Amino acid sequence: MANVFAKNLSSKQVMATDGTEIGILFNIVMDIRTGDLIDLIVKPDMSLDTSKYKIDEQYILLPFESVRAIKDYIVVDKNIARGMGTEPVNI
């Protein structure tokens, strides 16, 4: 994946690979010792059923390993985002 500046991610739409709109990126969790990105903190779309996602108050947490592409949208693998398929994929 090409380098993307954090300021370009602010308020970016997050979408699943199947086209489901998940929400808007609110923040990113990073391990400050290693610099690894851990989770995307997403304000969920009003129509999204959040029951299958990891929730933190009013936000959902999507593991960074679920990210498949960052262009006009942040595209995530829905199965990994829900914790169903946890095999890492090299991006």
Side-chain angles (χ1 to χ4, degrees):
M1 186 180 304
N3 291 337
V4 178
F5 291 105
K7 69 180 181 179
N8 294 335
L9 297 177
S10 179
S11 300
K12 194 169 275 281
Q13 182 74 32
V14 180
M15 178 180 286
T17 50
D18 68 358
T20 303
E21 290 191 18
I22 295 177
I24 302 290
L25 182 66
F26 178 74
N27 211 338
I28 298 173
V29 178
M30 180 181 84
D31 183 325
I32 59 171
R33 289 173 294 181
T34 64
D36 292 339
L37 299 179
I38 308 298
D39 289 316
L40 302 180
I41 301 175
V42 178
K43 181 174 177 153
D45 189 78
M46 297 293 276
S47 63
L48 181 71
D49 175 11
T50 60
S51 64
K52 295 182 179 168
Y53 293 92
K54 184 176 173 185
I55 304 290
D56 182 20
E57 296 181 20
Q58 75 265 30
Y59 300 102
I60 56 176
L61 301 175
L62 304 177
F64 187 75
E65 68 184 17
S66 68
V67 174
R68 294 293 167 252
I70 300 175
K71 298 266 184 198
D72 295 333
Y73 293 90
I74 298 172
V75 180
V76 298
D77 182 303
K78 188 188 251 182
N79 291 328
I80 294 174
R82 289 179 169 180
M84 295 176 181
T86 56
E87 290 185 33
V89 176
N90 293 330
I91 302 176

